[in-house]
Amino acid sequence: MTDTSIRDSTREREREREREEEEQSEELACPECGGNLVSDEERAETVCSDCGLVVEEDEIDRGPEWRAFDAKEKDEKSRVGAPTTKMMHDEGLSTNIGWQDKDAYGQALSSRQRQKMQRLRTWNERFRTRDSKERNLKQALGEIDRMASALGLPNNVRETASVIYRRALDEDLLPGRSIEGVATASLYAAARQAGTPRSLDEITTVSRVDKDEIARTYRYVVRELNLEIKPADPVSYVPRFASELGLSDEAERRARSLLETAKGEGIHSGKSPVGLAAAAVYAAALLTNEKVTQNEVSQVANISEVTIRNRYHELLEAEDGLGAV
DNA sequence: ATGGTTTTTACTGCGTC
DNA sequence: GACGCGGTAAAAACCAT
């Protein structure tokens, strides 16, 4: 036992050394002095670090000529997008192993060979279907990325969205549903989970799928994957609305506290969180003497003025009830 | 499908600039 | 007179059953 393992490990080491030598001779050795080659991308040259011999020059830099500092910028500057419709799902690149048990000359195979081929077929099929899932994933992730940046959602949301999508894919939730639909639903769920929710309407504007389907798919995915998603917290909308309206930090703080007391009073159950947030923002602006009209708030929050009125009365009542003012 | 709740639409009156 | 605001009634949308 110990004998064999020692012999194994020495052989292993030998093989490794061989491999390293191969790599050295193939890629990194200078033809002149045998020294290391270093590629200098700035000058588009490959030079030997020992003797200075230039092995290649005027190399082509295949990277983009622009620089991007965040995802949004990258999106704007990039002139190529995700590959769209590739008609054939695998672009005709995957392999099939024939079903006849014949060799290249048409001779029948031995039973031993036949067994081997059968095993190969099985594995080839497994890899191929895995590939198709990979492709599916790639398209969905591209879609998620596109929508996320259109909505200005941070990277961690994209990541959770992809995780959710992967799970959906693994649990075979896709058949009978569109990739876009599930991708959108995943993003919606991820945004809510991460505490940076976007309303269904906002999601709908950037998705290729209509609202009903998103809602349906979302419910389905949440149920099947047992995702725990609490109803959106109104507070999480506040910063966004406040900044879009150009309100002070003070107003934002007031809005938060307004919502906290409202929560304490239990006013918020059953009401749309967006409406509540919008009302709080409006009320806060009023309290800090910053001029914002109900109309403006209703615009940024996508909520009707009436709802704002109703909610903000309730908010102020709750505040008064506590003897705050 | 149904009924109850919430939100929206549409309209009206009041005060201010 | 336009605009912001408040209120109301009816319609529409939403949700659980």
Side-chain angles (χ1 to χ4, degrees), chain A residues 91-168:
Chain A
E91 297 170 62
L93 286 178
S94 71
T95 325
N96 259 324
I97 298 178
W99 53 271
Q100 299 124 332
D101 289 318
K102 301 275 178 67
D103 67 12
Y105 303 102
Q107 310 280 349
L109 297 172
S110 69
S111 78
R112 200 190 155 80
Q113 287 291 332
R114 273 211 303 279
Q115 268 181 26
K116 197 172 171 183
M117 292 310 289
Q118 199 50 55
R119 274 216 322 279
L120 283 174
R121 278 191 204 103
T122 313
W123 279 101
N124 189 44
E125 196 55 33
R126 283 184 194 160
F127 281 124
R128 232 161 41 111
T129 55
R130 212 191 60 154
D131 278 1
S132 92
K133 279 192 175 180
E134 289 297 306
R135 269 187 301 278
N136 179 330
L137 193 62
K138 209 172 169 184
Q139 189 192 339
L141 295 191
E143 196 70 0
I144 286 172
D145 224 44
R146 183 185 62 78
M147 293 187 290
S149 57
L151 290 170
L153 285 167
N155 271 328
N156 62 329
V157 174
R158 296 174 205 202
E159 271 165 40
T160 32
S162 358
V163 171
I164 293 173
Y165 188 89
R166 276 203 175 85
R167 285 190 55 199

Coordinates of all heavy atoms in Angstrom, one line a residue, chain A residues 91-168:
Chain A
E91 N -25.5 26.0 -33.1 CA -24.7 26.5 -34.3 C -24.1 25.3 -35.0 O -23.1 25.5 -35.7 CB -23.7 27.5 -33.9 CG -24.2 28.7 -33.3 CD -23.2 29.6 -32.6 OE1 -22.3 30.0 -33.4 OE2 -23.2 29.9 -31.4
G92 N -24.7 24.2 -34.9 CA -24.2 23.0 -35.6 C -22.9 22.5 -35.1 O -22.2 21.8 -35.9
L93 N -22.5 22.8 -33.9 CA -21.1 22.5 -33.5 C -21.1 21.2 -32.7 O -20.0 20.7 -32.4 CB -20.5 23.6 -32.8 CG -20.1 24.8 -33.7 CD1 -19.5 25.9 -32.8 CD2 -19.1 24.3 -34.7
S94 N -22.2 20.8 -32.2 CA -22.1 19.6 -31.3 C -22.0 18.3 -32.0 O -22.3 18.2 -33.2 CB -23.3 19.6 -30.3 OG -24.4 19.2 -31.0
T95 N -21.6 17.3 -31.4 CA -21.3 16.0 -32.0 C -22.5 15.0 -31.8 O -23.1 15.0 -30.8 CB -20.1 15.4 -31.4 OG1 -19.2 16.4 -31.1 CG2 -19.5 14.4 -32.4
N96 N -22.7 14.2 -32.8 CA -23.6 13.0 -32.6 C -22.8 11.8 -32.9 O -22.0 11.7 -33.8 CB -24.7 13.1 -33.6 CG -26.0 13.6 -32.9 OD1 -26.2 13.3 -31.7 ND2 -26.8 14.4 -33.6
I97 N -23.1 10.8 -32.1 CA -22.4 9.5 -32.4 C -23.5 8.6 -33.0 O -24.6 8.4 -32.5 CB -21.9 8.9 -31.0 CG1 -20.9 9.8 -30.4 CG2 -21.4 7.5 -31.3 CD1 -20.3 9.3 -29.1
G98 N -23.1 8.0 -34.1 CA -24.1 7.2 -34.9 C -24.6 6.0 -34.1 O -23.9 5.6 -33.2
W99 N -25.7 5.6 -34.5 CA -26.3 4.5 -33.8 C -25.9 3.1 -34.3 O -26.0 2.1 -33.6 CB -27.9 4.6 -33.8 CG -28.4 4.7 -35.2 CD1 -28.6 5.8 -35.9 CD2 -28.8 3.6 -36.1 NE1 -29.1 5.5 -37.2 CE2 -29.2 4.2 -37.3 CE3 -28.8 2.2 -35.9 CZ2 -29.6 3.4 -38.3 CZ3 -29.2 1.4 -37.0 CH2 -29.6 2.0 -38.2
Q100 N -25.4 3.1 -35.6 CA -25.0 1.8 -36.1 C -23.7 1.4 -35.4 O -22.8 2.2 -35.3 CB -24.8 1.9 -37.6 CG -26.0 2.3 -38.4 CD -25.7 3.5 -39.2 OE1 -24.9 4.3 -38.9 NE2 -26.4 3.6 -40.3
D101 N -23.6 0.2 -35.1 CA -22.4 -0.3 -34.5 C -21.4 -0.8 -35.5 O -21.1 -2.0 -35.7 CB -22.7 -1.4 -33.5 CG -23.4 -0.9 -32.2 OD1 -23.0 0.2 -31.8 OD2 -24.3 -1.5 -31.8
K102 N -21.0 0.2 -36.4 CA -20.1 -0.1 -37.4 C -18.8 0.8 -37.3 O -19.0 1.9 -36.8 CB -20.7 0.2 -38.8 CG -22.0 -0.6 -39.1 CD -21.7 -1.9 -39.7 CE -23.0 -2.7 -39.9 NZ -23.8 -2.1 -41.0
D103 N -17.7 0.3 -37.7 CA -16.6 1.2 -37.7 C -16.5 2.0 -39.0 O -17.4 1.9 -39.9 CB -15.3 0.4 -37.4 CG -14.9 -0.6 -38.5 OD1 -15.5 -0.5 -39.6 OD2 -14.1 -1.4 -38.3
A104 N -15.4 2.7 -39.2 CA -15.3 3.6 -40.3 C -15.3 2.8 -41.7 O -15.5 3.4 -42.7 CB -14.0 4.4 -40.2
Y105 N -15.0 1.5 -41.6 CA -15.0 0.7 -42.9 C -16.3 0.0 -43.0 O -16.4 -0.9 -44.0 CB -13.8 -0.2 -42.9 CG -12.5 0.5 -42.7 CD1 -11.8 0.5 -41.5 CD2 -11.9 1.1 -43.8 CE1 -10.6 1.1 -41.3 CE2 -10.7 1.8 -43.6 CZ -10.1 1.8 -42.4 OH -8.9 2.4 -42.2
G106 N -17.2 0.2 -42.2 CA -18.5 -0.5 -42.3 C -18.5 -1.9 -41.6 O -19.4 -2.7 -41.8
Q107 N -17.4 -2.2 -40.9 CA -17.3 -3.5 -40.3 C -18.1 -3.5 -39.0 O -18.1 -2.5 -38.3 CB -15.9 -3.9 -40.0 CG -14.9 -3.7 -41.1 CD -15.0 -4.9 -42.0 OE1 -15.6 -5.9 -41.7 NE2 -14.4 -4.8 -43.2
A108 N -18.7 -4.6 -38.6 CA -19.4 -4.6 -37.3 C -18.4 -4.6 -36.2 O -17.3 -5.1 -36.4 CB -20.2 -5.9 -37.2
L109 N -18.8 -4.0 -35.1 CA -17.8 -3.8 -34.0 C -17.9 -5.1 -33.1 O -18.9 -5.8 -33.1 CB -18.2 -2.6 -33.2 CG -18.1 -1.3 -33.9 CD1 -18.7 -0.2 -33.0 CD2 -16.7 -1.0 -34.2
S110 N -16.8 -5.3 -32.4 CA -16.9 -6.4 -31.4 C -17.8 -6.0 -30.3 O -18.1 -4.8 -30.1 CB -15.4 -6.6 -30.9 OG -15.1 -5.5 -30.1
S111 N -18.2 -6.9 -29.5 CA -19.2 -6.6 -28.4 C -18.5 -5.7 -27.4 O -19.2 -4.8 -26.9 CB -19.6 -7.9 -27.8 OG -18.6 -8.4 -26.9
R112 N -17.3 -5.9 -27.2 CA -16.6 -5.0 -26.3 C -16.6 -3.5 -26.8 O -16.9 -2.6 -26.1 CB -15.1 -5.5 -26.2 CG -14.4 -5.0 -25.0 CD -12.9 -5.3 -25.2 NE -12.1 -4.4 -24.4 CZ -11.9 -4.6 -23.1 NH1 -12.4 -5.6 -22.4 NH2 -11.1 -3.8 -22.4
Q113 N -16.3 -3.4 -28.1 CA -16.4 -2.0 -28.7 C -17.8 -1.5 -28.6 O -18.0 -0.3 -28.4 CB -15.9 -2.1 -30.2 CG -14.5 -2.3 -30.3 CD -13.7 -1.1 -29.9 OE1 -14.1 0.0 -30.0 NE2 -12.4 -1.4 -29.4
R114 N -18.8 -2.4 -28.9 CA -20.2 -1.9 -28.9 C -20.5 -1.3 -27.5 O -21.1 -0.3 -27.4 CB -21.1 -3.1 -29.2 CG -21.4 -3.3 -30.7 CD -22.7 -3.8 -30.9 NE -23.0 -5.1 -30.3 CZ -22.6 -6.2 -30.7 NH1 -21.9 -6.3 -31.8 NH2 -22.9 -7.3 -30.0
Q115 N -20.1 -2.0 -26.5 CA -20.4 -1.5 -25.1 C -19.8 -0.2 -24.9 O -20.4 0.8 -24.4 CB -19.8 -2.5 -24.1 CG -20.8 -3.5 -23.6 CD -20.2 -4.4 -22.6 OE1 -19.3 -4.0 -21.9 NE2 -20.7 -5.7 -22.5
K116 N -18.5 0.0 -25.4 CA -17.8 1.2 -25.2 C -18.6 2.4 -25.9 O -18.8 3.4 -25.3 CB -16.4 1.1 -25.8 CG -15.4 2.1 -25.4 CD -14.1 1.8 -25.9 CE -13.1 2.9 -25.7 NZ -11.8 2.6 -26.2
M117 N -19.0 2.1 -27.1 CA -19.7 3.1 -27.9 C -21.0 3.5 -27.2 O -21.4 4.7 -27.1 CB -20.1 2.6 -29.3 CG -18.8 2.4 -30.2 SD -17.8 3.9 -30.2 CE -18.8 5.0 -31.1
Q118 N -21.7 2.5 -26.6 CA -22.9 2.8 -25.9 C -22.6 3.8 -24.7 O -23.4 4.8 -24.5 CB -23.5 1.5 -25.4 CG -25.0 1.6 -25.0 CD -25.8 2.3 -26.2 OE1 -25.7 1.8 -27.3 NE2 -26.5 3.4 -25.9
R119 N -21.6 3.5 -24.0 CA -21.2 4.4 -22.9 C -20.9 5.8 -23.4 O -21.3 6.8 -22.9 CB -20.0 3.9 -22.2 CG -20.3 2.9 -21.1 CD -19.4 3.0 -19.9 NE -18.1 3.3 -20.1 CZ -17.2 2.4 -20.5 NH1 -17.5 1.2 -20.7 NH2 -15.9 2.8 -20.7
L120 N -20.2 5.9 -24.5 CA -19.8 7.2 -25.1 C -21.1 7.9 -25.5 O -21.2 9.1 -25.3 CB -18.9 7.0 -26.3 CG -17.5 6.7 -26.0 CD1 -16.7 6.4 -27.3 CD2 -16.8 7.8 -25.2
R121 N -22.0 7.2 -26.1 CA -23.3 7.9 -26.5 C -23.9 8.5 -25.3 O -24.4 9.7 -25.3 CB -24.2 6.9 -27.1 CG -24.0 6.6 -28.6 CD -25.1 5.8 -29.2 NE -24.5 5.1 -30.4 CZ -24.3 3.8 -30.4 NH1 -24.5 3.1 -29.3 NH2 -23.8 3.3 -31.5
T122 N -24.0 7.7 -24.2 CA -24.7 8.2 -23.0 C -24.0 9.5 -22.6 O -24.7 10.5 -22.3 CB -24.6 7.2 -21.9 OG1 -24.9 5.9 -22.4 CG2 -25.5 7.6 -20.8
W123 N -22.7 9.5 -22.5 CA -22.0 10.6 -22.0 C -22.1 11.8 -22.9 O -22.3 13.0 -22.5 CB -20.6 10.3 -21.6 CG -20.5 9.6 -20.3 CD1 -20.4 8.3 -20.1 CD2 -20.6 10.3 -19.1 NE1 -20.4 8.1 -18.8 CE2 -20.5 9.2 -18.1 CE3 -20.8 11.6 -18.6 CZ2 -20.6 9.5 -16.7 CZ3 -20.9 11.8 -17.3 CH2 -20.8 10.8 -16.3
N124 N -22.0 11.5 -24.2 CA -22.1 12.6 -25.1 C -23.5 13.3 -25.0 O -23.5 14.6 -25.0 CB -22.0 12.1 -26.5 CG -21.8 13.2 -27.6 OD1 -21.1 14.2 -27.3 ND2 -22.5 13.1 -28.7
E125 N -24.5 12.6 -24.8 CA -25.8 13.1 -24.7 C -25.9 14.0 -23.4 O -26.4 15.1 -23.4 CB -26.8 12.0 -24.6 CG -28.3 12.4 -24.9 CD -28.4 13.2 -26.2 OE1 -27.7 12.9 -27.2 OE2 -29.3 14.1 -26.2
R126 N -25.3 13.4 -22.4 CA -25.3 14.2 -21.1 C -24.7 15.6 -21.3 O -25.2 16.6 -20.9 CB -24.7 13.4 -20.0 CG -25.6 12.3 -19.5 CD -24.9 11.6 -18.3 NE -25.7 10.4 -18.1 CZ -25.2 9.4 -17.4 NH1 -24.0 9.4 -16.9 NH2 -26.0 8.3 -17.2
F127 N -23.5 15.5 -21.9 CA -22.8 16.8 -22.1 C -23.6 17.8 -23.0 O -23.5 19.0 -22.8 CB -21.4 16.6 -22.6 CG -20.4 16.1 -21.6 CD1 -19.7 14.9 -21.7 CD2 -20.3 16.9 -20.4 CE1 -18.9 14.5 -20.7 CE2 -19.4 16.4 -19.4 CZ -18.7 15.2 -19.6
R128 N -24.2 17.2 -24.0 CA -24.9 18.0 -24.9 C -26.0 18.8 -24.2 O -26.3 19.9 -24.4 CB -25.4 17.3 -26.1 CG -25.0 17.9 -27.4 CD -25.1 16.9 -28.5 NE -26.2 16.1 -28.5 CZ -27.2 16.2 -29.3 NH1 -27.2 17.1 -30.3 NH2 -28.3 15.4 -29.2
T129 N -26.8 18.0 -23.4 CA -28.0 18.7 -22.8 C -27.5 19.7 -21.8 O -28.1 20.7 -21.5 CB -28.9 17.7 -22.1 OG1 -28.1 16.9 -21.2 CG2 -29.6 16.8 -23.1
R130 N -26.3 19.4 -21.1 CA -25.8 20.3 -20.2 C -25.4 21.6 -20.9 O -25.6 22.7 -20.5 CB -24.6 19.8 -19.5 CG -24.5 20.3 -18.1 CD -23.1 19.9 -17.5 NE -22.1 20.5 -18.3 CZ -20.9 20.8 -17.8 NH1 -20.6 20.6 -16.6 NH2 -20.0 21.3 -18.6
D131 N -24.9 21.4 -22.1 CA -24.5 22.6 -23.0 C -25.7 23.4 -23.3 O -25.7 24.6 -23.2 CB -23.9 22.1 -24.3 CG -22.4 21.8 -24.1 OD1 -22.0 22.0 -22.9 OD2 -21.7 21.5 -25.0
S132 N -26.8 22.7 -23.6 CA -28.0 23.5 -24.0 C -28.5 24.3 -22.8 O -29.0 25.4 -22.9 CB -29.1 22.6 -24.5 OG -30.0 22.2 -23.4
K133 N -28.3 23.8 -21.6 CA -28.7 24.5 -20.4 C -27.8 25.7 -20.2 O -28.2 26.8 -19.9 CB -28.6 23.7 -19.1 CG -29.8 22.8 -19.0 CD -29.9 22.2 -17.6 CE -31.2 21.4 -17.4 NZ -31.3 20.8 -16.1
E134 N -26.5 25.5 -20.5 CA -25.5 26.6 -20.4 C -25.9 27.7 -21.4 O -25.9 28.9 -21.0 CB -24.1 26.1 -20.8 CG -23.5 25.2 -19.8 CD -23.3 25.8 -18.5 OE1 -22.6 26.9 -18.4 OE2 -23.8 25.3 -17.4
R135 N -26.3 27.4 -22.6 CA -26.7 28.4 -23.5 C -27.9 29.1 -23.1 O -27.9 30.4 -23.1 CB -26.9 27.8 -24.9 CG -25.7 27.7 -25.8 CD -26.1 27.2 -27.2 NE -26.7 25.9 -27.1 CZ -26.0 24.8 -27.1 NH1 -24.7 24.8 -27.0 NH2 -26.7 23.6 -27.0
N136 N -28.9 28.4 -22.6 CA -30.1 29.0 -22.1 C -29.7 30.0 -21.0 O -30.1 31.1 -21.0 CB -30.9 27.8 -21.5 CG -32.2 28.2 -20.8 OD1 -32.2 29.4 -20.3 ND2 -33.1 27.4 -20.8
L137 N -28.8 29.5 -20.1 CA -28.4 30.4 -19.0 C -27.7 31.6 -19.5 O -28.0 32.7 -19.0 CB -27.4 29.6 -18.2 CG -27.0 30.2 -16.8 CD1 -28.3 30.2 -16.0 CD2 -26.0 29.3 -16.2
K138 N -26.9 31.5 -20.5 CA -26.1 32.6 -21.0 C -27.1 33.7 -21.6 O -27.0 34.9 -21.3 CB -25.2 32.1 -22.2 CG -24.0 33.0 -22.3 CD -23.1 32.3 -23.3 CE -22.0 33.2 -23.7 NZ -21.1 32.7 -24.7
Q139 N -28.1 33.2 -22.3 CA -29.0 34.2 -22.8 C -29.8 34.9 -21.7 O -30.0 36.1 -21.7 CB -30.0 33.5 -23.8 CG -30.9 34.4 -24.5 CD -32.1 33.7 -25.2 OE1 -32.0 32.5 -25.4 NE2 -33.1 34.4 -25.5
A140 N -30.2 34.1 -20.8 CA -31.0 34.6 -19.7 C -30.2 35.6 -18.9 O -30.7 36.7 -18.5 CB -31.5 33.5 -18.7
L141 N -29.0 35.3 -18.6 CA -28.1 36.2 -17.9 C -27.9 37.5 -18.6 O -27.9 38.6 -18.0 CB -26.8 35.5 -17.5 CG -26.9 34.3 -16.6 CD1 -25.5 33.9 -16.2 CD2 -27.8 34.6 -15.4
G142 N -27.7 37.4 -19.9 CA -27.6 38.6 -20.7 C -28.8 39.5 -20.5 O -28.7 40.7 -20.4
E143 N -30.0 38.8 -20.6 CA -31.2 39.5 -20.5 C -31.3 40.2 -19.1 O -31.7 41.4 -19.0 CB -32.4 38.5 -20.7 CG -33.7 39.2 -20.9 CD -33.7 39.8 -22.3 OE1 -32.7 39.7 -23.0 OE2 -34.8 40.4 -22.6
I144 N -31.0 39.4 -18.1 CA -31.0 40.0 -16.7 C -30.1 41.2 -16.6 O -30.5 42.2 -16.0 CB -30.6 38.9 -15.7 CG1 -31.7 37.9 -15.5 CG2 -30.3 39.5 -14.3 CD1 -31.3 36.7 -14.7
D145 N -28.9 41.1 -17.1 CA -28.0 42.2 -17.1 C -28.5 43.4 -17.8 O -28.4 44.5 -17.2 CB -26.7 41.7 -17.8 CG -25.5 42.2 -17.0 OD1 -25.5 42.0 -15.7 OD2 -24.5 42.7 -17.6
R146 N -29.1 43.2 -18.9 CA -29.7 44.3 -19.7 C -30.7 45.1 -18.9 O -30.7 46.3 -18.7 CB -30.3 43.8 -21.0 CG -30.8 44.9 -21.9 CD -31.5 44.3 -23.1 NE -32.7 43.5 -22.8 CZ -33.8 44.0 -22.4 NH1 -34.0 45.3 -22.4 NH2 -34.8 43.2 -22.1
M147 N -31.7 44.3 -18.3 CA -32.7 44.9 -17.6 C -32.2 45.6 -16.3 O -32.7 46.7 -16.0 CB -33.8 43.8 -17.2 CG -34.5 43.3 -18.5 SD -35.9 42.2 -18.0 CE -35.0 40.8 -17.4
A148 N -31.3 44.9 -15.7 CA -30.8 45.4 -14.4 C -30.1 46.8 -14.6 O -30.3 47.7 -13.9 CB -29.8 44.5 -13.8
S149 N -29.4 46.9 -15.7 CA -28.7 48.2 -15.9 C -29.7 49.2 -16.4 O -29.5 50.4 -16.1 CB -27.5 48.1 -16.8 OG -27.9 47.5 -18.1
A150 N -30.7 48.8 -17.1 CA -31.7 49.8 -17.5 C -32.4 50.3 -16.3 O -32.9 51.5 -16.3 CB -32.7 49.1 -18.4
L151 N -32.5 49.5 -15.2 CA -33.2 50.0 -14.0 C -32.3 50.5 -13.0 O -32.7 50.9 -11.9 CB -34.0 48.8 -13.4 CG -35.2 48.3 -14.2 CD1 -35.7 47.0 -13.6 CD2 -36.3 49.3 -14.2
G152 N -31.0 50.5 -13.3 CA -30.0 51.0 -12.4 C -29.9 50.2 -11.1 O -29.7 50.7 -10.0
L153 N -30.0 48.9 -11.3 CA -29.9 48.0 -10.1 C -28.4 47.6 -9.9 O -27.7 47.3 -10.9 CB -30.7 46.8 -10.3 CG -32.2 47.0 -10.1 CD1 -33.0 45.8 -10.6 CD2 -32.5 47.3 -8.7
P154 N -28.0 47.5 -8.7 CA -26.6 47.2 -8.4 C -26.2 45.8 -8.7 O -27.1 44.9 -9.0 CB -26.4 47.4 -6.9 CG -27.8 47.3 -6.4 CD -28.7 47.8 -7.5
N155 N -24.9 45.5 -8.7 CA -24.5 44.2 -9.1 C -24.9 43.0 -8.3 O -25.2 41.9 -8.8 CB -22.9 44.2 -9.1 CG -22.4 44.6 -10.5 OD1 -23.1 44.3 -11.5 ND2 -21.3 45.2 -10.5
N156 N -25.0 43.3 -7.0 CA -25.4 42.2 -6.1 C -26.8 41.7 -6.5 O -27.1 40.5 -6.3 CB -25.4 42.5 -4.6 CG -26.3 43.7 -4.3 OD1 -26.6 44.5 -5.2 ND2 -26.8 43.7 -3.1
V157 N -27.7 42.6 -6.9 CA -29.0 42.2 -7.4 C -28.9 41.3 -8.6 O -29.6 40.2 -8.7 CB -29.9 43.4 -7.7 CG1 -31.2 43.0 -8.3 CG2 -30.1 44.2 -6.4
R158 N -28.0 41.7 -9.5 CA -27.9 40.8 -10.7 C -27.4 39.4 -10.3 O -27.8 38.4 -10.9 CB -26.8 41.4 -11.6 CG -27.3 42.7 -12.2 CD -26.2 43.4 -13.0 NE -26.4 44.8 -12.9 CZ -26.0 45.7 -13.8 NH1 -25.2 45.3 -14.8 NH2 -26.2 46.9 -13.7
E159 N -26.5 39.4 -9.3 CA -26.0 38.1 -8.9 C -27.1 37.2 -8.3 O -27.3 36.1 -8.7 CB -24.9 38.3 -7.9 CG -23.5 38.4 -8.6 CD -22.4 38.9 -7.7 OE1 -22.4 38.5 -6.6 OE2 -21.6 39.7 -8.2
T160 N -27.9 37.8 -7.4 CA -28.9 37.0 -6.8 C -29.9 36.6 -7.9 O -30.4 35.5 -7.9 CB -29.7 37.7 -5.7 OG1 -29.7 39.1 -6.0 CG2 -29.1 37.5 -4.4
A161 N -30.2 37.5 -8.8 CA -31.1 37.2 -9.9 C -30.6 36.0 -10.7 O -31.3 35.0 -11.0 CB -31.3 38.4 -10.8
S162 N -29.3 35.9 -11.0 CA -28.8 34.8 -11.7 C -28.8 33.5 -10.9 O -29.1 32.5 -11.4 CB -27.3 35.0 -12.2 OG -26.8 36.2 -11.8
V163 N -28.6 33.7 -9.6 CA -28.7 32.5 -8.7 C -30.1 31.9 -8.8 O -30.3 30.7 -8.9 CB -28.3 32.8 -7.3 CG1 -28.6 31.7 -6.3 CG2 -26.8 33.2 -7.2
I164 N -31.1 32.8 -8.6 CA -32.5 32.4 -8.7 C -32.8 31.7 -10.0 O -33.4 30.6 -10.1 CB -33.4 33.6 -8.5 CG1 -33.3 34.1 -7.1 CG2 -34.9 33.1 -8.7 CD1 -34.0 35.4 -6.8
Y165 N -32.3 32.3 -11.1 CA -32.5 31.7 -12.4 C -31.9 30.4 -12.5 O -32.5 29.4 -13.0 CB -32.0 32.7 -13.5 CG -32.4 32.2 -14.9 CD1 -33.6 32.6 -15.4 CD2 -31.7 31.3 -15.6 CE1 -34.1 32.1 -16.6 CE2 -32.1 30.8 -16.8 CZ -33.3 31.3 -17.3 OH -33.7 30.8 -18.5
R166 N -30.7 30.3 -12.0 CA -30.0 28.9 -12.1 C -30.8 27.9 -11.3 O -31.0 26.8 -11.8 CB -28.6 29.0 -11.4 CG -27.6 29.6 -12.4 CD -26.2 29.1 -11.9 NE -25.2 29.5 -12.8 CZ -24.6 30.7 -12.9 NH1 -25.0 31.6 -12.0 NH2 -23.7 31.0 -13.8
R167 N -31.3 28.3 -10.2 CA -32.1 27.3 -9.4 C -33.3 26.9 -10.2 O -33.7 25.7 -10.3 CB -32.5 27.9 -8.1 CG -31.4 27.9 -7.1 CD -31.9 28.3 -5.7 NE -32.9 27.4 -5.3 CZ -33.8 27.7 -4.3 NH1 -33.7 28.8 -3.7 NH2 -34.7 26.8 -3.9
A168 N -34.0 27.9 -10.8 CA -35.2 27.6 -11.6 C -34.8 26.6 -12.7 O -35.6 25.7 -13.0 CB -35.8 28.9 -12.2

